[in-house]
């Protein structure tokens, strides 16, 4: 299923590049940002494909549902290291998509002073939130030895921190998307085009809501997986759901970035 989402995003990106060359005879900065995000998406898909066996065995062993195999330390460590890399790619890719929108929207109103001020505020907020999302991840829980991970990363405090970090990162993701989406919408009402075209463009730019929806779904599904036993012990959410919905959100973000550009590209032309 991951490859289906990846293939859909790939087709959308190919068509975006085709339209760019037809309209402008070249690729622009925002195209390179989306292309960079697509490369990260491809690398993430390859990582999950190569390490998925370790993810399932680690989940079963952690839950006490299976005994570790002979190769368990190797494949579990391979999965954890891959998760470290994939998490960084996930947030870097998502924020590359956000920067793509910012670069594209900057060209729409670069001659308007108030718009420029608002754009720089949104740009600074987006960069700061991206750094926060990358910085609050417990990377040591993916790179330490298995003994250290089971000792220090499965405590109630560590699991609670993971749960809060996921929720905070989702909030930052959604808020920055709302701020970015408000840029072209605020500009549209001050330009002299027909009301119907304004509504159409607002609807087009509002496709970003799709990415926001998947971000919320990801956190909602994952958060329901955090449980507390009668003895007060916290259990982690199912890793497969976390990584599946993270990849889906990433692929949808690339797809939406391409969809939003189509109508605007023809309008610019």
């Amino acid at each position: 299923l991951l490859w289906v989402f990846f293939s859909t995003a790939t087709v959308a990106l190919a068509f975006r590049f085709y339209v760019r060359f037809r309209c402008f005879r070249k690729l622009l900065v925002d195209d390179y940002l989306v292309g960079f995000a697509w490369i990260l998406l491809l690398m993430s898909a390859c990582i999950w494909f190569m390490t998925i066996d370790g993810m399932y065995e680690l989940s079963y062993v952690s839950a006490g549902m299976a005994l570790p195999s002979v190769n368990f330390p190797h494949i579990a460590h391979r999965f954890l290291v891959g998760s470290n890399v994939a998490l960084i790619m996930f947030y870097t890719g998502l924020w590359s998509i956000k920067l793509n929108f910012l670069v594209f929207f900057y060209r729409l109103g670069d001659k308007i002073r108030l718009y420029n001020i608002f754009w720089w505020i949104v740009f600074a907020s987006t960069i700061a939130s991206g750094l926060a999302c990358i910085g609050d991840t417990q990377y040591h829980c993916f790179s330490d030895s298995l003994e250290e991970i089971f000792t220090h990363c499965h405590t109630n405090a560590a699991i609670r921190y993971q749960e809060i970090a996921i929720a905070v990162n989702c909030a930052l993701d959604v808020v920055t998307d709302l701020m970015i989406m408000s840029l072209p919408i605020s500009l549209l009402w001050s330009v002299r085009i027909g009301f119907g075209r304004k509504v159409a463009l607002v609807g087009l730019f509002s496709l970003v809501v799709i990415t926001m929806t998947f971000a919320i779904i990801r956190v909602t599904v994952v958060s329901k997986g955090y449980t507390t036993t009668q003895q007060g012990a916290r259990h982690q959410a199912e890793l497969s759901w976390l990584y599946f919905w993270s990849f889906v959100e990433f692929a949808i973000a690339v797809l939406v970035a391409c969809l939003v550009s189509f109508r605007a590209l023809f309008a610019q032309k």
Side-chain angles (χ1 to χ4, degrees), residues 9 45 55 98 106 163 191 208 230 239 246 254 257:
M55 177 182 69
K98 296 177 191 292
Y106 180 80
E163 189 176 359
V191 296
V208 178
Q230 293 181 349
L239 291 176
S246 296
V254 174

Side-chain angles (χ1 to χ4, degrees), residues 199-234:
V199 173
L201 287 172
V202 167
L204 183 72
F205 295 135
S206 297
L207 288 175
V208 178
V209 173
I210 298 175
T211 306
M212 295 161 50
T213 301
F214 275 91
I216 295 172
I217 291 174
R218 175 174 63 90
V219 173
T220 302
V221 171
V222 173
S223 295
K224 288 182 178 180
Y226 287 98
T227 57
T228 305
T229 64
Q230 293 181 349
Q231 291 75 26
R234 295 285 291 172

Side-chain angles (χ1 to χ4, degrees), residues 9-10 12-13 34 37-38 41 97 249-259:
T10 301
L13 180 66
V34 178
W38 177 86
L41 181 68
I97 296 297
E249 181 188 351
F250 194 177
I252 292 297
V254 174
L255 176 62
V256 168
C258 296
L259 292 176

Side-chain angles (χ1 to χ4, degrees), residues 78-138:
R78 182 184 61 186
F79 162 70
L80 292 171
V81 172
S83 299
N84 241 346
V85 177
L87 278 174
I88 296 174
M89 288 182 177
F90 170 69
Y91 287 115
T92 303
L94 278 188
W95 261 255
S96 295
I97 296 297
K98 296 177 191 292
L99 291 177
N100 145 77
F101 284 121
L102 284 171
V103 170
F104 179 72
F105 293 153
Y106 180 80
R107 294 197 300 268
L108 298 181
D110 59 340
K111 302 295 191 298
I112 304 174
R113 178 176 173 78
L114 287 178
Y115 181 86
N116 274 335
I117 294 174
F118 184 35
W119 186 93
W120 280 107
I121 293 173
V122 175
F123 176 78
S125 301
T126 301
I127 295 297
S129 63
L131 294 175
C133 289
I134 293 176
D136 65 11
T137 302
Q138 293 177 310

Side-chain angles (χ1 to χ4, degrees), residues 4-41:
V4 173
F5 283 100
F6 173 77
S7 299
T8 304
T10 301
V11 171
L13 180 66
F15 188 62
R16 171 182 174 136
F17 284 176
Y18 168 76
V19 173
R20 282 291 194 187
F21 279 112
R22 285 294 299 263
C23 292
F24 304 110
R25 308 299 181 191
K26 63 179 181 180
L27 297 179
L28 303 177
V29 175
D30 46 326
D31 296 311
Y32 289 112
L33 287 168
V34 178
F36 174 66
W38 177 86
I39 292 173
L40 296 180
L41 181 68

Side-chain angles (χ1 to χ4, degrees), residues 48-58 75-76 78-79:
W48 296 135
F49 181 76
M50 293 185 297
T51 63
I52 193 170
D53 55 339
M55 177 182 69
Y56 285 117
E57 183 166 359
L58 180 61
I75 63 176
R78 182 184 61 186
F79 162 70

